[in-house]
Amino acid sequence: MRRLKLVPEKTNIDFFKIALVTFGGSVVLTLASIILFVAIGLNYGIDFKGGTTIRVDSQTPIDTGKYRTALQPLKLGDVMITQVFDPTSSSEKHVAMVRVQAQSGQESITPATTQAIEAAIKKVDASATFPSIESVGPKVSGELIKTAVIAVLAAVAAIVFYIWLRFEWQFALGAVAATVHDVALTIGIFVVFQLKFDLSIVAAILTIVGYSINDTVVVFDRARENLIKYKKMPLRDVLNLSANETLSRTVMTSGTTLIALIALLVLGGDVIRNFVFAMTWGVIVGTYSSIYVAKNIVLQLGVKRDWSKPSDKNAGTNFSKGKA
């Protein structure tokens, strides 16, 4: 029985051959993403801008597509419609949440706008009722932004601490650089295309961070084994060998993940499209950074060869130049 092979079992690719283009390009794109974020800013969704949530109860199954089409002529801006399960409701009642962004800097939509929304939904669902209306002001939204930033930074800090304990500080810095690269480029593409940025995208970024680190750790783990095994091989060659030995695993893992994500991107609908797009982009840049960013940092810093020794005064100088 023949196995599917996306790449040959043995490859000999020099990943540092065009480092000026790959690593240099990553540095430029990361800086550009940060500048664009500061200069233009993200297109924040309701979670971060504030808005109003209208609960809709209906005796018929909720059709979010019809609701969205009915509300389009009102030009309300960012509108999110989700069907929810309410255990306190009877089995014959269906519940949906219609979330509308704050209008013209106000904390909530006006009564006239609320009536227009209810009338539009009534046209496509005569049994719809509106038992509650809740508003989220800019202050709460601002707190959500701070919490989201803290969540991302805490995740990165925990990962860096883990890498530092398991490997060496040079590997930790390489992992940090790769993670910053992935997060910055993800935010950058959302700035460029002005895609809605809400809490679901924060969840996607946290997932991207974990995925990228997992890929980086696989390469680093093999590099540590090879550094002990090939004590006289130059560090550049050891890192290239490690990346080549794990290339098949990297391609298979990323490839199968992308197949599922692309299917969701095409068939999943508008509700999850931005989330899936962020995940798809993150898998691509995360795989790229584990090969072309993290290893370059380790190469520049240098590492010790034998982990059985407690320290190595030459780490960071000798072996970065290929001396034994």
Side-chain angles (χ1 to χ4, degrees), residues 115-171:
Q115 292 174 8
I117 293 172
E118 294 177 355
I121 293 176
K122 279 280 190 180
K123 289 181 180 179
V124 296
D125 187 354
S127 65
T129 58
F130 310 93
S132 65
I133 300 177
E134 298 177 353
S135 296
V136 177
K139 184 178 180 181
V140 176
S141 300
E143 292 175 356
L144 283 175
I145 294 176
K146 292 179 182 178
T147 304
V149 172
I150 292 173
V152 174
L153 293 179
V156 173
I159 289 169
V160 169
F161 183 67
Y162 164 75
I163 298 280
W164 195 343
L165 289 180
R166 181 169 178 179
F167 300 100
E168 292 286 317
W169 64 268
Q170 296 95 333
F171 288 97

Side-chain angles (χ1 to χ4, degrees), residues 66-296:
K66 287 184 178 180
Y67 280 23
R68 190 173 290 107
T69 302
L71 295 177
Q72 281 180 353
L74 300 180
K75 297 181 179 179
L76 300 170
D78 187 15
V79 177
M80 294 177 62
I81 305 171
T82 54
Q83 184 173 0
V84 297
F85 172 72
D86 186 355
T88 63
S89 300
S90 64
S91 59
E92 297 178 354
K93 186 178 290 184
H94 305 274
V95 181
M97 293 295 182
V98 178
R99 306 176 69 187
V100 183
Q101 73 175 45
Q103 306 292 303
S104 303
Q106 300 176 357
E107 289 196 10
S108 62
I109 59 178
T110 63
T113 304
T114 301
Q115 292 174 8
I117 293 172
E118 294 177 355
I121 293 176
K122 279 280 190 180
K123 289 181 180 179
V124 296
D125 187 354
S127 65
T129 58
F130 310 93
S132 65
I133 300 177
E134 298 177 353
S135 296
V136 177
K139 184 178 180 181
V140 176
S141 300
E143 292 175 356
L144 283 175
I145 294 176
K146 292 179 182 178
T147 304
V149 172
I150 292 173
V152 174
L153 293 179
V156 173
I159 289 169
V160 169
F161 183 67
Y162 164 75
I163 298 280
W164 195 343
L165 289 180
R166 181 169 178 179
F167 300 100
E168 292 286 317
W169 64 268
Q170 296 95 333
F171 288 97
L173 288 182
V176 170
T179 303
V180 170
H181 167 272
D182 301 341
V183 173
L185 262 61
T186 301
I187 292 176
I189 200 166
F190 269 75
V191 172
V192 170
F193 292 107
Q194 285 296 288
L195 301 173
K196 289 290 185 297
F197 191 92
D198 51 28
L199 286 177
S200 68
I201 307 305
V202 175
I205 289 176
L206 290 173
T207 306
I208 290 167
V209 168
Y211 187 95
S212 174
I213 287 296
N214 177 66
D215 222 20
T216 302
V217 166
V218 170
V219 178
F220 281 175
D221 212 30
R222 184 59 61 88
R224 183 174 63 173
E225 294 174 1
N226 287 334
L227 282 169
I228 299 172
K229 185 177 181 181
Y230 304 104
K231 299 183 184 300
K232 296 184 180 296
M233 182 182 291
L235 179 58
R236 172 183 171 130
D237 294 340
V238 172
L239 292 174
N240 261 329
L241 175 64
S242 303
N244 277 285
E245 288 179 345
T246 57
L247 185 61
S248 177
R249 179 262 176 203
T250 298
V251 172
M252 287 294 291
T253 303
S254 300
T256 51
T257 304
L258 284 173
I259 290 173
L261 288 173
I262 291 173
L264 285 173
L265 189 63
V266 175
L267 305 173
D270 293 334
V271 176
I272 63 171
R273 181 156 290 137
N274 285 351
F275 171 80
V276 177
F277 175 78
M279 288 290 296
T280 304
W281 174 255
V283 168
I284 295 172
V285 297
T287 303
Y288 176 90
S289 67
S290 65
I291 296 176
Y292 288 107
V293 177
K295 293 196 298 83
N296 274 277

Side-chain angles (χ1 to χ4, degrees), residues 33-44 187-188 190-195 197:
S33 296
I34 295 172
I35 293 171
L36 287 172
F37 170 71
V38 174
I40 301 175
L42 289 163
N43 180 16
Y44 292 110
I187 292 176
F190 269 75
V191 172
V192 170
F193 292 107
Q194 285 296 288
L195 301 173
F197 191 92

